[in-house]
Amino acid sequence: MKVSFYVLSESKAQDFLGFICQLTQTALNKSSQSLLILIDQQDALLSTLDEALWAHDATSFIPHQRLLDSNIGDGANTDTSHRENTAINPINSQSLAPVLLGSYMPADFKGIVLNTTIHPVNDFIAATNNAQPTRVLELIKPDANSVQEGRHKYKSYKQLGYELTHFKV
């Protein structure tokens, strides 16, 4: 699996939502795979990112949906209030948007993961059924805590033999 680390400059870190939206749009433009944005369960980023994806571009939006936590790991419960149907979840034949926001990885997920949590993605893979992400995007802010978390993730991924790249943005 490929893991790309994006080491953010101060200016990119200040517009964290904007950078996530930009990276999400780029990933959608370059791939036909679904994109899962992992967010810590109690993080306010979930709501603000949900709104930002609808308003990122004045002439368009990024179709997405929030995964709800009541059925963690089975992929069955989603918030469909803002959804563009593009894919079918093979587990329950429920339509899914190309971008998913959640604090867990749905069962049988195969796509790109943009990880905003402090945990390596393999922690989420181990907690679900048959998930096989094809690529992981990690965001590292310029503060000391984020850098330390990034180093921990880098070591974890390296031990697993993943292909690692990093970009300074």
Side-chain angles (χ1 to χ4, degrees):
M1 178 169 46
K2 286 185 173 186
V3 180
S4 297
F5 287 84
Y6 292 85
V7 182
L8 306 182
S9 64
E10 277 294 332
S11 62
K12 292 289 185 187
Q14 288 176 1
D15 185 23
F16 192 58
L17 284 175
F19 183 76
I20 292 173
C21 290
Q22 179 184 13
L23 188 59
T24 299
Q25 188 64 63
T26 301
L28 289 176
N29 291 344
K30 291 184 175 185
S31 175
S32 61
Q33 295 181 325
S34 295
L35 175 75
L36 170 64
I37 302 176
L38 283 172
I39 301 168
D40 282 322
Q41 193 168 12
Q42 301 301 323
D43 197 331
L45 180 62
L46 180 61
S47 294
T48 55
L49 183 57
D50 184 22
E51 292 303 317
L53 289 170
W54 288 115
H56 173 62
D57 188 347
T59 59
S60 67
F61 64 92
I62 299 173
H64 65 282
Q65 73 188 75
R66 292 167 68 157
L67 300 174
L68 302 179
D69 295 327
S70 61
N71 291 323
I72 290 179
D74 73 1
N77 198 357
T78 57
D79 175 358
T80 59
S81 61
H82 296 92
R83 181 172 69 199
E84 169 106 0
N85 298 333
T86 59
I88 301 294
N89 181 343
I91 296 298
N92 58 19
S93 299
Q94 183 177 20
S95 297
L96 296 177
V99 177
L100 305 172
L101 306 177
S103 61
Y104 65 94
M105 190 171 294
D108 296 313
F109 179 79
K110 292 172 180 55
I112 302 167
V113 177
L114 195 162
N115 187 13
T116 69
T117 75
I118 63 170
H119 307 286
V121 167
N122 43 308
D123 290 357
F124 296 94
I125 295 170
T128 192
N129 182 25
N130 202 29
Q132 298 174 340
T134 57
R135 185 162 181 208
V136 175
L137 310 175
E138 291 281 358
L139 305 181
I140 309 300
K141 294 179 183 177
D143 64 273
N145 285 341
S146 187
V147 170
Q148 186 61 32
E149 292 162 1
R151 288 180 179 143
H152 170 73
K153 291 178 188 180
Y154 189 92
K155 288 177 187 175
S156 176
Y157 295 139
K158 189 172 184 175
Q159 287 175 346
L160 292 169
Y162 295 159
E163 181 181 335
L164 306 175
T165 57
H166 74 281
F167 306 96
K168 291 185 178 185
V169 293

